[in-house]
Amino acid sequence: MNAPMGLGTAALYALSLVFYVAYLYANKPRIGRIATACLAGGILLNFFNMVERARLVQSVPYQDLYGSMSLFAWLLGLTYLGLEVFHRQRSVGPFVLPFILVLFLVAEMGPSMPPSPPPARGSLFALHVTLNILAYSAFAISFVLSVIFLIQNHVLRERRPGATFWRYPSLETLERMSRSSVLVGIIALGIGIIFGFVWVYRVRGQIWEADAKEIASLAIWAIYCAYWWLSQTTGWRGARASYLSVLNFLVVIFSYTIVNVYLSNYHRYF
């Protein structure tokens, strides 16, 4: 890929992480604004880097595993930035930026591969992949928020809050943000799966092939719908719902890695 652009993107993401951590400890609004600005700059460069990838491979920039990871990093950053602006909370940044940085670095270190059959082209294909990765990004945000919830809940039980404890969102806010992220993911994944079935029908002449990735995607959609329903009930709010969110995201990671690489017959990454 474009080396200067890739290095610039990684540098901005890394600087954003540093400033988010500094903001968490110093609690100075100016440092927080710099962290957000670096993240926005990294997201912008990441986008142009994907455009350059698309030009080089003469296809969508996420037609291979590493390209999809670059898209994952971009959408995760964009999703978090929107969440930060909407809720006016920067204290979650130190937990999200490591995911973004690692995803982008791995994507940059991997080779770009030309598309292989079935042809990885077309608007339906692009929408299918984009919406699926957007759903994964929303689920990743929910995972991070759930981990923070569990840490805060444990600290409160132990009655040993540290200096940075009060800078995190309240438990109620974390839970609400997590549910909002999951709802976005459920909608995006549901529509993405539908586009995927239509695209497969156009390419292969049938909608359902019982491929491992098809089964995994439907399973992920189902378990997050179950999380959404259970998190509305009194008995499953709080720590129980957070543990369920963490377990659900482990299924997402399993689908994105093991299922894609070893179990699916034709899915390469999404």
Side-chain angles (χ1 to χ4, degrees):
M1 293 302 97
N2 188 305
M5 198 177 298
L7 288 173
T9 304
L12 283 171
Y13 282 152
L15 282 173
S16 180
L17 173 59
V18 170
F19 281 113
Y20 271 120
V21 172
Y23 169 77
L24 185 62
Y25 284 93
N27 197 28
K28 294 182 179 180
R30 185 167 63 91
I31 296 177
R33 288 192 292 270
I34 294 173
T36 302
C38 288
L39 173 59
I43 291 171
L44 184 63
L45 277 185
N46 195 346
F47 173 78
F48 287 116
N49 195 57
M50 288 192 295
V51 171
E52 178 67 11
R53 179 186 288 267
R55 187 186 67 81
L56 290 175
V57 300
Q58 295 297 303
S59 180
V60 290
Y62 36 78
Q63 54 81 31
D64 60 14
L65 175 64
Y66 297 104
S68 77
M69 294 181 75
S70 182
L71 176 67
F72 199 163
W74 183 69
L75 284 175
L76 183 55
L78 202 61
T79 304
Y80 168 72
L81 187 60
L83 195 70
E84 179 184 295
V85 171
F86 184 79
H87 289 280
R88 298 182 181 180
Q89 287 285 350
R90 289 191 171 97
S91 54
V92 181
F95 296 86
V96 177
L97 262 297
F99 286 93
I100 298 173
L101 184 59
V102 169
L103 281 168
F104 182 77
L105 288 176
V106 174
E108 283 299 291
M109 289 187 290
S112 294
M113 298 174 286
S116 58
R121 293 182 175 87
S123 57
L124 277 176
F125 172 81
L127 286 169
H128 167 57
V129 178
T130 302
L131 287 169
N132 279 22
I133 299 297
L134 174 61
Y136 290 174
S137 301
F139 295 150
I141 295 292
S142 176
F143 166 78
V144 171
L145 293 170
S146 297
V147 169
I148 296 174
F149 181 99
L150 292 171
I151 293 173
Q152 278 194 280
N153 190 53
H154 176 75
V155 170
L156 283 174
R157 288 179 179 275
E158 295 292 323
R159 298 180 180 180
R160 291 184 298 179
T164 63
F165 177 83
W166 306 109
R167 293 170 192 155
Y168 292 107
S170 67
L171 294 180
E172 182 181 354
T173 301
L174 286 168
E175 198 169 10
R176 187 171 63 250
M177 291 167 67
S178 180
R179 285 200 300 267
S180 299
S181 297
V182 167
L183 182 59
V184 170
I186 289 172
I187 295 171
L189 184 59
I191 299 173
I193 288 173
I194 292 171
F195 283 143
F197 283 145
V198 175
W199 180 72
V200 168
Y201 179 77
R202 288 186 175 182
V203 173
R204 293 176 174 262
Q206 61 185 70
I207 292 178
W208 178 257
E209 293 192 349
D211 182 75
K213 185 61 179 184
E214 294 174 345
I215 297 171
S217 295
L218 289 173
I220 290 170
W221 187 80
I223 62 177
Y224 272 101
C225 284
Y227 162 85
W228 171 256
W229 179 71
L230 289 171
S231 66
Q232 309 299 312
T233 64
T234 304
W236 274 88
R237 287 180 181 172
R240 283 186 176 182
S242 296
Y243 278 121
L244 185 58
S245 177
V246 170
L247 290 174
N248 284 358
F249 189 66
L250 295 180
V251 178
V252 172
I253 295 299
F254 177 79
S255 173
Y256 189 70
T257 55
I258 303 300
V259 173
N260 284 342
V261 177
Y262 299 108
L263 302 181
S264 178
N265 293 323
Y266 63 88
H267 279 81
R268 296 186 300 281
Y269 48 85
F270 51 88

